[in-house]
Amino acid sequence: MKWVIWQVVLGLLYVLSSGPMVLMATKGHFGKSDSVGGRLLVMVYRPVRVIYRHTPLRTPLGMYWHLWMPK
């Protein structure tokens, strides 16, 4: 049972970390989008983008990301 709880916690932390990462990427902290850092960021957070685009979690994720990037 502890393993299930830890997996859920780590999954939530992963999704919640996408907000600060998007903010830092838009401010240019990882270089250009064609740099190694930019490509790595896109690859690591691709599952979150898929969840955003193809599930009903689009609204909550969009609202959360809006907190990090109001524009």
Side-chain angles (χ1 to χ4, degrees), residues 10-59:
L10 290 176
L12 284 173
L13 286 175
Y14 168 68
V15 171
L16 291 176
S17 70
S18 66
M21 287 298 134
V22 168
L23 175 67
M24 290 189 324
T26 57
K27 291 195 174 198
H29 290 281
F30 298 107
K32 296 181 181 179
S33 62
D34 60 346
S35 69
V36 174
R39 286 186 298 216
L40 182 64
L41 184 70
V42 168
M43 185 175 68
V44 169
Y45 285 99
R46 182 169 289 156
V48 178
R49 284 187 9 205
V50 170
I51 290 170
Y52 174 76
R53 289 182 181 168
H54 301 291
T55 67
L57 295 175
R58 180 182 181 95
T59 303

